[in-house]
């Protein structure tokens, strides 16, 4: 979804949001400057701002030295772009910050100062994804999994391939989630097909790695 050009209302406090151009990312953010200080991100915009090295100086400047309205962060909100009910999700595997996600258009709303909290959680996107994978491994009961641990039996490469496929599916799901494609599976556009092709490639790569490590006793 492209950067929305409409003037929208804040889903938390109802005030008119201000367009703030972010030159480093080339997008406009919708910021509740005169209300609660919340920020609305269009589909795929948030990933350009969630790491500490990414420049947010215009945003810091416009929010500096302001007092903002208090809002109920537990309330259910409606997307200011498509008006669908938003869903609260944790921003990362740390489960420290909840944000409002729109599963219809892919928008995301953060309350005041939540962006800073999220940016301080991980130094890089790789560290963020690694934490997600660790959480998934733990939920599946395979925490501490490494390719070498699949080498109990040199004839065990089928098992290695299956576990490699499982890891590949998880990695592909993370890729699709980060690129906001899971919630747009019905669109059928070229960009979606390209992302699904990449996801399938990820699955095949991990399957091959799992098979190779176990077939060769943990050595490439």
């Amino acid at each position: 979804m492209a950067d929305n050009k409409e003037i929208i209302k804040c889903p938390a406090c109802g005030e008119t949001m201000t367009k703030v151009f972010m030159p480093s990312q080339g997008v406009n953010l919708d910021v509740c400057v005169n209300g609660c200080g919340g920020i609305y991100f269009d589909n795929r915009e948030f990933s350009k701002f969630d790491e500490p090295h990414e420049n947010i100086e215009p945003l810091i400047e416009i929010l500096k030295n302001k007092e903002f309205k208090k809002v109920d962060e537990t309330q259910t909100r409606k997307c200011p772009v498509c008006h669908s009910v938003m869903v609260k999700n944790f921003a990362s595997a740390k489960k420290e910050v909840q944000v409002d996600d729109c599963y219809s258009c892919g928008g995301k709303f953060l309350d005041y100062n939540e962006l800073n909290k999220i940016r301080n959680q991980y130094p890089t996107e790789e560290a963020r994804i690694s934490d997600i994978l660790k959480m998934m491994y733990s939920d599946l009961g395979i925490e501490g999994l490494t390719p070498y641990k699949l080498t109990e039996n040199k004839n065990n490469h089928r098992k290695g391939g299956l576990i490699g496929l499982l890891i590949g599916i998880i990695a592909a799901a993370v890729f699709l989630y980060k690129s906001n494609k899971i919630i747009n599976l019905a669109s059928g556009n070229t960009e979606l097909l390209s992302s699904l092709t990449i996801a399938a490639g990820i699955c095949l790569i991990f399957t091959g790695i799992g098979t190779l490590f176990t077939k060769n006793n943990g050595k490439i």
Side-chain angles (χ1 to χ4, degrees):
M1 181 176 179
D3 195 7
N4 85 80
K5 306 300 182 183
E6 302 295 324
I7 301 300
I8 60 176
K9 298 285 187 179
C10 176
C13 71
E15 291 287 341
T16 299
M17 303 188 85
T18 302
K19 299 286 184 185
V20 179
F21 183 66
M22 308 295 288
S24 296
Q25 293 82 2
V27 300
N28 286 291
L29 291 183
D30 294 284
V31 185
C32 192
V33 176
N34 300 311
C36 65
I39 309 169
Y40 179 83
F41 299 85
D42 291 309
N43 188 14
R44 296 191 295 273
E45 283 184 350
F46 179 68
S47 62
K48 300 176 182 179
F49 298 92
D50 61 350
E51 296 178 36
H53 65 85
E54 292 166 328
N55 185 7
I56 59 169
E57 284 302 319
L59 186 61
I60 294 173
E61 190 63 27
I62 200 168
L63 296 176
K64 186 170 62 178
N65 300 325
K66 285 186 174 290
E67 292 186 7
F68 299 106
K69 294 180 181 179
K70 298 293 184 182
V71 295
D72 181 1
E73 296 183 10
T74 66
Q75 69 176 329
T76 299
R77 293 156 178 176
K78 288 190 176 181
C79 177
V81 173
C82 72
H83 310 295
S84 299
V85 173
M86 304 185 86
V87 178
K88 293 192 180 296
N89 289 312
F90 285 107
S92 74
K94 292 183 182 295
K95 297 184 178 181
E96 296 171 343
V97 182
Q98 276 193 314
V99 300
D100 297 281
D101 288 314
C102 179
Y103 287 177
S104 180
C105 71
K108 189 184 294 287
F109 178 80
L110 274 63
D111 288 293
Y112 175 65
N113 206 38
E114 286 184 339
L115 179 60
N116 287 331
K117 293 177 181 178
I118 293 169
R119 284 165 59 89
N120 289 330
Q121 287 183 323
Y122 300 96
T124 64
E125 186 68 12
E126 289 73 20
R128 183 184 302 276
I129 293 176
S130 176
D131 215 15
I132 292 173
L133 291 175
K134 286 178 183 178
M135 180 186 69
M136 290 180 174
Y137 294 164
S138 179
D139 289 344
L140 292 170
I142 54 174
E143 53 263 69
L145 181 68
T146 63
Y148 185 76
K149 290 187 177 180
L150 301 178
T151 62
E152 297 174 0
N153 187 325
K154 67 179 180 180
N155 295 318
N156 205 25
H157 55 276
R158 286 187 180 178
K159 179 182 176 182
L162 289 174
I163 295 181
L165 175 61
L166 174 61
I167 297 172
I169 290 172
I170 293 171
V174 171
F175 165 75
L176 289 171
Y177 174 78
K178 292 299 293 183
S179 59
N180 289 304
K181 294 300 184 302
I182 283 180
I183 60 177
N184 293 314
L185 288 179
S187 64
N189 55 33
T190 303
E191 187 178 0
L192 172 61
L193 292 175
S194 176
S195 293
L196 291 176
T197 301
I198 294 172
I202 292 172
C203 290
L204 290 174
I205 289 170
F206 275 91
T207 302
I209 290 174
T211 302
L212 184 61
F213 264 75
T214 51
K215 187 174 183 179
N216 296 308
N217 200 29
K219 297 179 181 179
I220 294 180

